[in-house]
Amino acid sequence: MPVYEVFTTAFHALDMMWLDIHGLDDNSMQWRYHQYWSGVPSRDVFQGSGGVPRPPLYEILMPLPVRIGQIVATIELRTSGDT
């Protein structure tokens, strides 16, 4: 998968870990949505398997217009069947 350089005048880094909302009540969900949209990093708040902290999982949102530049890298995506 190619990775492109992107040029923009602004961006927002939002931590998608806050959106893992399974089994939460409405108040907890609203608080997590607020944390997400405020750009607050989860900073290892969430536990993965074996109690190991999970780091933030960022997505970057950019308002238009943006300019897409050259390919700067290529990454190989793993599928669930890969070892």
Side-chain angles (χ1 to χ4, degrees), residues 47-80:
Q47 302 296 314
S49 60
V52 176
R54 292 166 45 188
L57 178 61
Y58 289 108
E59 67 178 334
I60 307 300
L61 300 182
M62 294 170 264
L64 297 176
V66 298
R67 185 170 58 89
I68 307 299
Q70 299 178 357
I71 295 174
V72 295
T74 302
I75 58 173
E76 185 177 326
L77 299 178
R78 294 183 179 184
T79 62
S80 59

Side-chain angles (χ1 to χ4, degrees), residues 23-39:
L24 295 176
D25 60 47
D26 287 344
N27 289 333
S28 294
M29 288 172 32
Q30 288 178 7
W31 180 77
R32 284 192 180 195
Y33 293 153
H34 176 77
Q35 297 295 90
Y36 171 80
W37 284 111
S38 297

Side-chain angles (χ1 to χ4, degrees), residues 6-42:
V6 178
F7 301 92
T8 185
T9 58
F11 69 92
H12 304 281
L14 304 174
D15 186 353
M16 294 186 303
M17 293 299 290
W18 292 116
L19 302 179
D20 186 4
I21 58 171
H22 300 290
L24 295 176
D25 60 47
D26 287 344
N27 289 333
S28 294
M29 288 172 32
Q30 288 178 7
W31 180 77
R32 284 192 180 195
Y33 293 153
H34 176 77
Q35 297 295 90
Y36 171 80
W37 284 111
S38 297
V40 175
S42 60

